[in-house]
PDB file of all heavy atoms in Angstrom:
ATOM      1  N   SER A  31    -115.121  38.011  10.996  1.00  0.00           N
ATOM      2  CA  SER A  31    -114.908  39.182  11.861  1.00  0.00           C
ATOM      3  C   SER A  31    -113.804  40.089  11.322  1.00  0.00           C
ATOM      4  O   SER A  31    -113.805  41.278  11.544  1.00  0.00           O
ATOM      5  CB  SER A  31    -114.542  38.715  13.267  1.00  0.00           C
ATOM      6  OG  SER A  31    -113.297  38.055  13.273  1.00  0.00           O
ATOM      7  N   VAL A  32    -112.828  39.542  10.575  1.00  0.00           N
ATOM      8  CA  VAL A  32    -111.731  40.348  10.024  1.00  0.00           C
ATOM      9  C   VAL A  32    -112.174  41.050   8.770  1.00  0.00           C
ATOM     10  O   VAL A  32    -111.688  42.144   8.444  1.00  0.00           O
ATOM     11  CB  VAL A  32    -110.490  39.441   9.741  1.00  0.00           C
ATOM     12  CG1 VAL A  32    -109.421  40.197   9.017  1.00  0.00           C
ATOM     13  CG2 VAL A  32    -109.956  38.897  11.055  1.00  0.00           C
ATOM     14  N   ARG A  33    -113.111  40.507   8.019  1.00  0.00           N
ATOM     15  CA  ARG A  33    -113.588  41.091   6.786  1.00  0.00           C
ATOM     16  C   ARG A  33    -114.158  42.463   7.072  1.00  0.00           C
ATOM     17  O   ARG A  33    -114.997  42.636   7.945  1.00  0.00           O
ATOM     18  CB  ARG A  33    -114.645  40.187   6.149  1.00  0.00           C
ATOM     19  CG  ARG A  33    -114.983  40.586   4.740  1.00  0.00           C
ATOM     20  CD  ARG A  33    -115.981  39.676   4.108  1.00  0.00           C
ATOM     21  NE  ARG A  33    -115.543  38.284   4.196  1.00  0.00           N
ATOM     22  CZ  ARG A  33    -116.356  37.232   4.122  1.00  0.00           C
ATOM     23  NH1 ARG A  33    -117.653  37.428   3.992  1.00  0.00           N
ATOM     24  NH2 ARG A  33    -115.884  36.016   4.198  1.00  0.00           N
ATOM     25  N   ARG A  34    -113.708  43.438   6.299  1.00  0.00           N
ATOM     26  CA  ARG A  34    -114.163  44.804   6.518  1.00  0.00           C
ATOM     27  C   ARG A  34    -115.398  45.094   5.681  1.00  0.00           C
ATOM     28  O   ARG A  34    -115.486  44.645   4.543  1.00  0.00           O
ATOM     29  CB  ARG A  34    -113.051  45.789   6.154  1.00  0.00           C
ATOM     30  CG  ARG A  34    -111.872  45.669   7.058  1.00  0.00           C
ATOM     31  CD  ARG A  34    -110.843  46.679   6.741  1.00  0.00           C
ATOM     32  NE  ARG A  34    -109.703  46.485   7.654  1.00  0.00           N
ATOM     33  CZ  ARG A  34    -108.517  46.976   7.434  1.00  0.00           C
ATOM     34  NH1 ARG A  34    -108.273  47.657   6.360  1.00  0.00           N
ATOM     35  NH2 ARG A  34    -107.554  46.784   8.315  1.00  0.00           N
ATOM     36  N   PRO A  35    -116.281  45.919   6.223  1.00  0.00           N
ATOM     37  CA  PRO A  35    -117.460  46.251   5.435  1.00  0.00           C
ATOM     38  C   PRO A  35    -117.099  47.209   4.274  1.00  0.00           C
ATOM     39  O   PRO A  35    -116.057  47.844   4.308  1.00  0.00           O
ATOM     40  CB  PRO A  35    -118.366  46.937   6.452  1.00  0.00           C
ATOM     41  CG  PRO A  35    -117.466  47.473   7.451  1.00  0.00           C
ATOM     42  CD  PRO A  35    -116.319  46.512   7.513  1.00  0.00           C
ATOM     43  N   LYS A  36    -117.967  47.297   3.273  1.00  0.00           N
ATOM     44  CA  LYS A  36    -117.717  48.234   2.188  1.00  0.00           C
ATOM     45  C   LYS A  36    -117.696  49.648   2.696  1.00  0.00           C
ATOM     46  O   LYS A  36    -118.358  50.005   3.662  1.00  0.00           O
ATOM     47  CB  LYS A  36    -118.825  48.084   1.121  1.00  0.00           C
ATOM     48  CG  LYS A  36    -118.753  46.803   0.360  1.00  0.00           C
ATOM     49  CD  LYS A  36    -119.837  46.813  -0.716  1.00  0.00           C
ATOM     50  CE  LYS A  36    -119.757  45.567  -1.532  1.00  0.00           C
ATOM     51  NZ  LYS A  36    -120.780  45.537  -2.586  1.00  0.00           N
ATOM     52  N   LEU A  37    -116.941  50.507   2.021  1.00  0.00           N
ATOM     53  CA  LEU A  37    -116.810  51.888   2.406  1.00  0.00           C
ATOM     54  C   LEU A  37    -118.100  52.615   2.084  1.00  0.00           C
ATOM     55  O   LEU A  37    -118.572  52.570   0.954  1.00  0.00           O
ATOM     56  CB  LEU A  37    -115.648  52.531   1.666  1.00  0.00           C
ATOM     57  CG  LEU A  37    -115.394  54.014   1.943  1.00  0.00           C
ATOM     58  CD1 LEU A  37    -114.963  54.205   3.378  1.00  0.00           C
ATOM     59  CD2 LEU A  37    -114.371  54.560   0.994  1.00  0.00           C
ATOM     60  N   ARG A  38    -118.666  53.283   3.104  1.00  0.00           N
ATOM     61  CA  ARG A  38    -119.865  54.079   2.876  1.00  0.00           C
ATOM     62  C   ARG A  38    -119.515  55.530   3.068  1.00  0.00           C
ATOM     63  O   ARG A  38    -118.943  55.970   4.067  1.00  0.00           O
ATOM     64  CB  ARG A  38    -120.931  53.665   3.908  1.00  0.00           C
ATOM     65  CG  ARG A  38    -121.470  52.281   3.674  1.00  0.00           C
ATOM     66  CD  ARG A  38    -122.566  51.944   4.641  1.00  0.00           C
ATOM     67  NE  ARG A  38    -123.660  52.914   4.467  1.00  0.00           N
ATOM     68  CZ  ARG A  38    -124.558  53.179   5.405  1.00  0.00           C
ATOM     69  NH1 ARG A  38    -124.463  52.599   6.597  1.00  0.00           N
ATOM     70  NH2 ARG A  38    -125.536  54.012   5.199  1.00  0.00           N
ATOM     71  N   LEU A  39    -119.820  56.316   2.050  1.00  0.00           N
ATOM     72  CA  LEU A  39    -119.514  57.756   2.086  1.00  0.00           C
ATOM     73  C   LEU A  39    -120.756  58.528   2.521  1.00  0.00           C
ATOM     74  O   LEU A  39    -121.781  58.504   1.840  1.00  0.00           O
ATOM     75  CB  LEU A  39    -119.064  58.184   0.687  1.00  0.00           C
ATOM     76  CG  LEU A  39    -118.313  59.503   0.596  1.00  0.00           C
ATOM     77  CD1 LEU A  39    -117.086  59.493   1.504  1.00  0.00           C
ATOM     78  CD2 LEU A  39    -117.877  59.753  -0.834  1.00  0.00           C
ATOM     79  N   THR A  40    -120.642  59.201   3.646  1.00  0.00           N
ATOM     80  CA  THR A  40    -121.766  59.952   4.162  1.00  0.00           C
ATOM     81  C   THR A  40    -121.883  61.318   3.444  1.00  0.00           C
ATOM     82  O   THR A  40    -121.033  61.674   2.671  1.00  0.00           O
ATOM     83  CB  THR A  40    -121.589  60.199   5.668  1.00  0.00           C
ATOM     84  OG1 THR A  40    -120.425  61.007   5.865  1.00  0.00           O
ATOM     85  CG2 THR A  40    -121.485  58.908   6.446  1.00  0.00           C
ATOM     86  N   ARG A  41    -122.927  62.040   3.769  1.00  0.00           N
ATOM     87  CA  ARG A  41    -123.114  63.349   3.162  1.00  0.00           C
ATOM     88  C   ARG A  41    -121.971  64.292   3.545  1.00  0.00           C
ATOM     89  O   ARG A  41    -121.463  65.039   2.729  1.00  0.00           O
ATOM     90  CB  ARG A  41    -124.447  63.905   3.639  1.00  0.00           C
ATOM     91  CG  ARG A  41    -124.820  65.189   3.005  1.00  0.00           C
ATOM     92  CD  ARG A  41    -126.179  65.632   3.470  1.00  0.00           C
ATOM     93  NE  ARG A  41    -126.526  66.891   2.880  1.00  0.00           N
ATOM     94  CZ  ARG A  41    -127.567  67.626   3.242  1.00  0.00           C
ATOM     95  NH1 ARG A  41    -128.378  67.177   4.145  1.00  0.00           N
ATOM     96  NH2 ARG A  41    -127.797  68.762   2.650  1.00  0.00           N
ATOM     97  N   ARG A  42    -121.581  64.252   4.804  1.00  0.00           N
ATOM     98  CA  ARG A  42    -120.494  65.111   5.281  1.00  0.00           C
ATOM     99  C   ARG A  42    -119.180  64.688   4.583  1.00  0.00           C
ATOM    100  O   ARG A  42    -118.347  65.526   4.221  1.00  0.00           O
ATOM    101  CB  ARG A  42    -120.330  64.987   6.786  1.00  0.00           C
ATOM    102  CG  ARG A  42    -119.306  65.958   7.319  1.00  0.00           C
ATOM    103  CD  ARG A  42    -119.050  65.885   8.796  1.00  0.00           C
ATOM    104  NE  ARG A  42    -120.089  65.236   9.554  1.00  0.00           N
ATOM    105  CZ  ARG A  42    -119.925  64.880  10.819  1.00  0.00           C
ATOM    106  NH1 ARG A  42    -118.829  65.142  11.453  1.00  0.00           N
ATOM    107  NH2 ARG A  42    -120.886  64.281  11.459  1.00  0.00           N
ATOM    108  N   GLY A  43    -118.975  63.397   4.409  1.00  0.00           N
ATOM    109  CA  GLY A  43    -117.782  62.906   3.741  1.00  0.00           C
ATOM    110  C   GLY A  43    -117.719  63.344   2.297  1.00  0.00           C
ATOM    111  O   GLY A  43    -116.656  63.730   1.807  1.00  0.00           O
ATOM    112  N   ARG A  44    -118.855  63.305   1.612  1.00  0.00           N
ATOM    113  CA  ARG A  44    -118.911  63.806   0.224  1.00  0.00           C
ATOM    114  C   ARG A  44    -118.600  65.289   0.169  1.00  0.00           C
ATOM    115  O   ARG A  44    -117.883  65.741  -0.706  1.00  0.00           O
ATOM    116  CB  ARG A  44    -120.271  63.532  -0.400  1.00  0.00           C
ATOM    117  CG  ARG A  44    -120.431  62.111  -0.895  1.00  0.00           C
ATOM    118  CD  ARG A  44    -121.675  61.983  -1.747  1.00  0.00           C
ATOM    119  NE  ARG A  44    -122.905  62.303  -1.022  1.00  0.00           N
ATOM    120  CZ  ARG A  44    -123.608  61.444  -0.299  1.00  0.00           C
ATOM    121  NH1 ARG A  44    -123.247  60.179  -0.207  1.00  0.00           N
ATOM    122  NH2 ARG A  44    -124.717  61.850   0.321  1.00  0.00           N
ATOM    123  N   PHE A  45    -119.158  66.028   1.128  1.00  0.00           N
ATOM    124  CA  PHE A  45    -118.875  67.478   1.178  1.00  0.00           C
ATOM    125  C   PHE A  45    -117.390  67.748   1.352  1.00  0.00           C
ATOM    126  O   PHE A  45    -116.809  68.554   0.640  1.00  0.00           O
ATOM    127  CB  PHE A  45    -119.686  68.127   2.309  1.00  0.00           C
ATOM    128  CG  PHE A  45    -119.379  69.596   2.488  1.00  0.00           C
ATOM    129  CD1 PHE A  45    -119.897  70.516   1.623  1.00  0.00           C
ATOM    130  CD2 PHE A  45    -118.567  70.004   3.554  1.00  0.00           C
ATOM    131  CE1 PHE A  45    -119.600  71.849   1.792  1.00  0.00           C
ATOM    132  CE2 PHE A  45    -118.296  71.357   3.717  1.00  0.00           C
ATOM    133  CZ  PHE A  45    -118.821  72.272   2.811  1.00  0.00           C
ATOM    134  N   VAL A  46    -116.772  67.043   2.285  1.00  0.00           N
ATOM    135  CA  VAL A  46    -115.345  67.233   2.540  1.00  0.00           C
ATOM    136  C   VAL A  46    -114.523  66.812   1.332  1.00  0.00           C
ATOM    137  O   VAL A  46    -113.592  67.473   0.906  1.00  0.00           O
ATOM    138  CB  VAL A  46    -114.920  66.475   3.810  1.00  0.00           C
ATOM    139  CG1 VAL A  46    -113.403  66.450   3.951  1.00  0.00           C
ATOM    140  CG2 VAL A  46    -115.539  67.117   5.047  1.00  0.00           C
ATOM    141  N   LEU A  47    -114.915  65.692   0.733  1.00  0.00           N
ATOM    142  CA  LEU A  47    -114.181  65.158  -0.412  1.00  0.00           C
ATOM    143  C   LEU A  47    -114.248  66.095  -1.625  1.00  0.00           C
ATOM    144  O   LEU A  47    -113.304  66.160  -2.402  1.00  0.00           O
ATOM    145  CB  LEU A  47    -114.757  63.780  -0.784  1.00  0.00           C
ATOM    146  CG  LEU A  47    -113.912  62.950  -1.724  1.00  0.00           C
ATOM    147  CD1 LEU A  47    -112.583  62.592  -1.082  1.00  0.00           C
ATOM    148  CD2 LEU A  47    -114.672  61.679  -2.072  1.00  0.00           C
ATOM    149  N   ILE A  48    -115.317  66.858  -1.749  1.00  0.00           N
ATOM    150  CA  ILE A  48    -115.468  67.767  -2.899  1.00  0.00           C
ATOM    151  C   ILE A  48    -115.097  69.175  -2.531  1.00  0.00           C
ATOM    152  O   ILE A  48    -114.373  69.826  -3.264  1.00  0.00           O
ATOM    153  CB  ILE A  48    -116.938  67.708  -3.410  1.00  0.00           C
ATOM    154  CG1 ILE A  48    -117.200  66.310  -3.999  1.00  0.00           C
ATOM    155  CG2 ILE A  48    -117.186  68.766  -4.457  1.00  0.00           C
ATOM    156  CD1 ILE A  48    -118.649  66.062  -4.317  1.00  0.00           C
ATOM    157  N   ALA A  49    -115.560  69.678  -1.373  1.00  0.00           N
ATOM    158  CA  ALA A  49    -115.379  71.088  -1.052  1.00  0.00           C
ATOM    159  C   ALA A  49    -113.929  71.469  -0.735  1.00  0.00           C
ATOM    160  O   ALA A  49    -113.478  72.544  -1.116  1.00  0.00           O
ATOM    161  CB  ALA A  49    -116.274  71.469   0.138  1.00  0.00           C
ATOM    162  N   VAL A  50    -113.230  70.636  -0.043  1.00  0.00           N
ATOM    163  CA  VAL A  50    -111.855  70.982   0.345  1.00  0.00           C
ATOM    164  C   VAL A  50    -110.949  71.144  -0.897  1.00  0.00           C
ATOM    165  O   VAL A  50    -110.245  72.146  -1.031  1.00  0.00           O
ATOM    166  CB  VAL A  50    -111.286  69.962   1.358  1.00  0.00           C
ATOM    167  CG1 VAL A  50    -109.795  70.150   1.546  1.00  0.00           C
ATOM    168  CG2 VAL A  50    -112.020  70.105   2.677  1.00  0.00           C
ATOM    169  N   PRO A  51    -110.932  70.200  -1.838  1.00  0.00           N
ATOM    170  CA  PRO A  51    -110.088  70.427  -3.018  1.00  0.00           C
ATOM    171  C   PRO A  51    -110.542  71.615  -3.848  1.00  0.00           C
ATOM    172  O   PRO A  51    -109.705  72.361  -4.364  1.00  0.00           O
ATOM    173  CB  PRO A  51    -110.236  69.116  -3.825  1.00  0.00           C
ATOM    174  CG  PRO A  51    -110.650  68.125  -2.847  1.00  0.00           C
ATOM    175  CD  PRO A  51    -111.459  68.845  -1.829  1.00  0.00           C
ATOM    176  N   VAL A  52    -111.861  71.867  -3.946  1.00  0.00           N
ATOM    177  CA  VAL A  52    -112.335  73.032  -4.697  1.00  0.00           C
ATOM    178  C   VAL A  52    -111.893  74.318  -4.013  1.00  0.00           C
ATOM    179  O   VAL A  52    -111.449  75.268  -4.639  1.00  0.00           O
ATOM    180  CB  VAL A  52    -113.904  72.966  -4.835  1.00  0.00           C
ATOM    181  CG1 VAL A  52    -114.448  74.297  -5.366  1.00  0.00           C
ATOM    182  CG2 VAL A  52    -114.279  71.835  -5.758  1.00  0.00           C
ATOM    183  N   PHE A  53    -111.980  74.346  -2.681  1.00  0.00           N
ATOM    184  CA  PHE A  53    -111.560  75.521  -1.914  1.00  0.00           C
ATOM    185  C   PHE A  53    -110.057  75.770  -2.126  1.00  0.00           C
ATOM    186  O   PHE A  53    -109.648  76.909  -2.351  1.00  0.00           O
ATOM    187  CB  PHE A  53    -111.880  75.333  -0.449  1.00  0.00           C
ATOM    188  CG  PHE A  53    -111.432  76.435   0.439  1.00  0.00           C
ATOM    189  CD1 PHE A  53    -112.083  77.660   0.404  1.00  0.00           C
ATOM    190  CD2 PHE A  53    -110.368  76.283   1.294  1.00  0.00           C
ATOM    191  CE1 PHE A  53    -111.671  78.710   1.215  1.00  0.00           C
ATOM    192  CE2 PHE A  53    -109.916  77.323   2.118  1.00  0.00           C
ATOM    193  CZ  PHE A  53    -110.583  78.538   2.064  1.00  0.00           C
ATOM    194  N   LEU A  54    -109.257  74.740  -2.045  1.00  0.00           N
ATOM    195  CA  LEU A  54    -107.807  74.891  -2.223  1.00  0.00           C
ATOM    196  C   LEU A  54    -107.492  75.367  -3.647  1.00  0.00           C
ATOM    197  O   LEU A  54    -106.622  76.194  -3.852  1.00  0.00           O
ATOM    198  CB  LEU A  54    -107.096  73.594  -1.883  1.00  0.00           C
ATOM    199  CG  LEU A  54    -107.136  73.204  -0.402  1.00  0.00           C
ATOM    200  CD1 LEU A  54    -106.476  71.826  -0.231  1.00  0.00           C
ATOM    201  CD2 LEU A  54    -106.419  74.238   0.437  1.00  0.00           C
ATOM    202  N   ALA A  55    -108.202  74.837  -4.644  1.00  0.00           N
ATOM    203  CA  ALA A  55    -107.967  75.244  -6.029  1.00  0.00           C
ATOM    204  C   ALA A  55    -108.348  76.699  -6.217  1.00  0.00           C
ATOM    205  O   ALA A  55    -107.624  77.449  -6.908  1.00  0.00           O
ATOM    206  CB  ALA A  55    -108.797  74.359  -6.958  1.00  0.00           C
ATOM    207  N   CYS A  56    -109.422  77.169  -5.584  1.00  0.00           N
ATOM    208  CA  CYS A  56    -109.811  78.586  -5.685  1.00  0.00           C
ATOM    209  C   CYS A  56    -108.759  79.470  -5.025  1.00  0.00           C
ATOM    210  O   CYS A  56    -108.452  80.550  -5.554  1.00  0.00           O
ATOM    211  CB  CYS A  56    -111.182  78.810  -5.031  1.00  0.00           C
ATOM    212  SG  CYS A  56    -112.527  78.133  -6.000  1.00  0.00           S
ATOM    213  N   LEU A  57    -108.229  79.050  -3.893  1.00  0.00           N
ATOM    214  CA  LEU A  57    -107.176  79.823  -3.223  1.00  0.00           C
ATOM    215  C   LEU A  57    -105.950  79.946  -4.118  1.00  0.00           C
ATOM    216  O   LEU A  57    -105.346  81.026  -4.243  1.00  0.00           O
ATOM    217  CB  LEU A  57    -106.792  79.207  -1.895  1.00  0.00           C
ATOM    218  CG  LEU A  57    -107.724  79.491  -0.710  1.00  0.00           C
ATOM    219  CD1 LEU A  57    -107.201  78.774   0.529  1.00  0.00           C
ATOM    220  CD2 LEU A  57    -107.830  80.963  -0.445  1.00  0.00           C
ATOM    221  N   MET A  58    -105.559  78.851  -4.752  1.00  0.00           N
ATOM    222  CA  MET A  58    -104.392  78.875  -5.625  1.00  0.00           C
ATOM    223  C   MET A  58    -104.644  79.759  -6.855  1.00  0.00           C
ATOM    224  O   MET A  58    -103.778  80.514  -7.271  1.00  0.00           O
ATOM    225  CB  MET A  58    -104.022  77.468  -6.053  1.00  0.00           C
ATOM    226  CG  MET A  58    -103.455  76.622  -4.915  1.00  0.00           C
ATOM    227  SD  MET A  58    -103.101  74.947  -5.340  1.00  0.00           S
ATOM    228  CE  MET A  58    -101.959  75.130  -6.677  1.00  0.00           C
ATOM    229  N   LEU A  59    -105.861  79.710  -7.396  1.00  0.00           N
ATOM    230  CA  LEU A  59    -106.219  80.559  -8.524  1.00  0.00           C
ATOM    231  C   LEU A  59    -106.200  82.036  -8.125  1.00  0.00           C
ATOM    232  O   LEU A  59    -105.661  82.862  -8.854  1.00  0.00           O
ATOM    233  CB  LEU A  59    -107.592  80.182  -9.048  1.00  0.00           C
ATOM    234  CG  LEU A  59    -108.127  80.974 -10.238  1.00  0.00           C
ATOM    235  CD1 LEU A  59    -107.251  80.696 -11.468  1.00  0.00           C
ATOM    236  CD2 LEU A  59    -109.550  80.646 -10.498  1.00  0.00           C
ATOM    237  N   LEU A  60    -106.718  82.336  -6.972  1.00  0.00           N
ATOM    238  CA  LEU A  60    -106.725  83.719  -6.479  1.00  0.00           C
ATOM    239  C   LEU A  60    -105.297  84.211  -6.242  1.00  0.00           C
ATOM    240  O   LEU A  60    -104.972  85.355  -6.596  1.00  0.00           O
ATOM    241  CB  LEU A  60    -107.550  83.799  -5.187  1.00  0.00           C
ATOM    242  CG  LEU A  60    -107.711  85.177  -4.603  1.00  0.00           C
ATOM    243  CD1 LEU A  60    -108.499  86.080  -5.550  1.00  0.00           C
ATOM    244  CD2 LEU A  60    -108.426  85.115  -3.273  1.00  0.00           C
TER     245      LEU A  60
END
Side-chain angles (χ1 to χ4, degrees):
S31 66
V32 172
R33 191 178 306 158
R34 293 184 180 162
K36 289 184 178 180
L37 179 66
R38 292 184 60 203
L39 198 55
T40 62
R41 184 176 179 190
R42 186 182 342 169
R44 279 191 300 271
F45 176 75
V46 169
L47 193 64
I48 294 170
V50 169
V52 169
F53 178 72
L54 292 175
C56 288
L57 281 179
M58 290 177 58
L59 180 67
L60 184 64

